[in-house]
């Protein structure tokens, strides 16, 4: 009876695995198709939300947050068009651009969150 060399067995197994992995590899330049989700959340290295893309009743929205996790900006689909909000470091509204049925509104706010113009 012949003795089986363990090195030969290991080489055979590894070669088989390499062939199987090579057959399953795909080209990274190919289109992966559609990705369907209800929201996408991006977090920073501390686990705080940095940005979020969400589905809303009117369509969709994009929110961006500062390092403290407070809202920095929101772009939102709304009726009859959309709105854009910019916030200060405390997370209070600083300015808003809103589409309305009669055209649009631009509002600015002071540090207390009260309308300035």
């Amino acid at each position: 009876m012949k003795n089986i060399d363990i090195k030969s067995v290991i080489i055979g197994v590894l070669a088989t695995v390499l062939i199987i992995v090579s057959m399953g590899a795909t080209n990274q330049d190919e289109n992966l198709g559609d990705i369907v989700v209800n929201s996408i959340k991006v977090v920073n290295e501390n686990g705080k939300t940095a940005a979020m893309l969400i589905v809303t009743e009117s369509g969709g929205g994009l929110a961006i947050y500062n390092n403290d996790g407070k809202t920095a900006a929101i772009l939102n689909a709304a009726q009859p068009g959309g709105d854009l909000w910019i916030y200060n470091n405390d997370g209070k509204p600083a300015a808003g651009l809103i589409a309305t049925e009669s055209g649009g509104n631009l509002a600015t706010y002071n540090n207390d969150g009260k309308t300035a113009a």
Side-chain angles (χ1 to χ4, degrees):
M1 222 169 140
K2 291 185 174 182
N3 287 336
I4 298 176
D5 184 20
I6 190 70
K7 291 179 186 177
S8 299
V9 172
I10 292 174
I11 290 171
V13 169
L14 291 176
T16 304
V17 169
L18 180 61
I19 291 169
I20 292 171
V21 169
S22 296
M23 290 183 340
T26 60
N27 186 352
Q28 296 296 325
D29 294 332
E30 291 182 20
N31 183 339
L32 298 176
D34 295 332
I35 298 172
V36 179
V37 296
N38 291 327
S39 67
I40 296 174
K41 186 180 207 181
V42 179
V43 296
N44 63 19
E45 62 276 355
N46 299 324
K48 290 187 178 179
T49 302
M52 188 181 296
L53 182 62
I54 60 171
V55 175
T56 65
E57 292 177 6
S58 301
L62 172 64
I64 301 171
Y65 302 89
N66 64 20
N67 286 336
D68 295 330
K70 295 179 181 172
T71 304
I74 293 178
L75 176 62
N76 211 16
Q79 292 298 331
D83 53 55
L84 171 64
W85 293 92
I86 307 297
Y87 295 82
N88 64 19
N89 286 337
D90 296 327
K92 294 180 182 176
L97 180 60
I98 305 112
T100 65
E101 290 180 5
S102 59
N105 290 334
L106 173 62
T108 59
Y109 302 88
N110 60 22
N111 287 337
D112 296 329
K114 296 182 181 177
T115 303

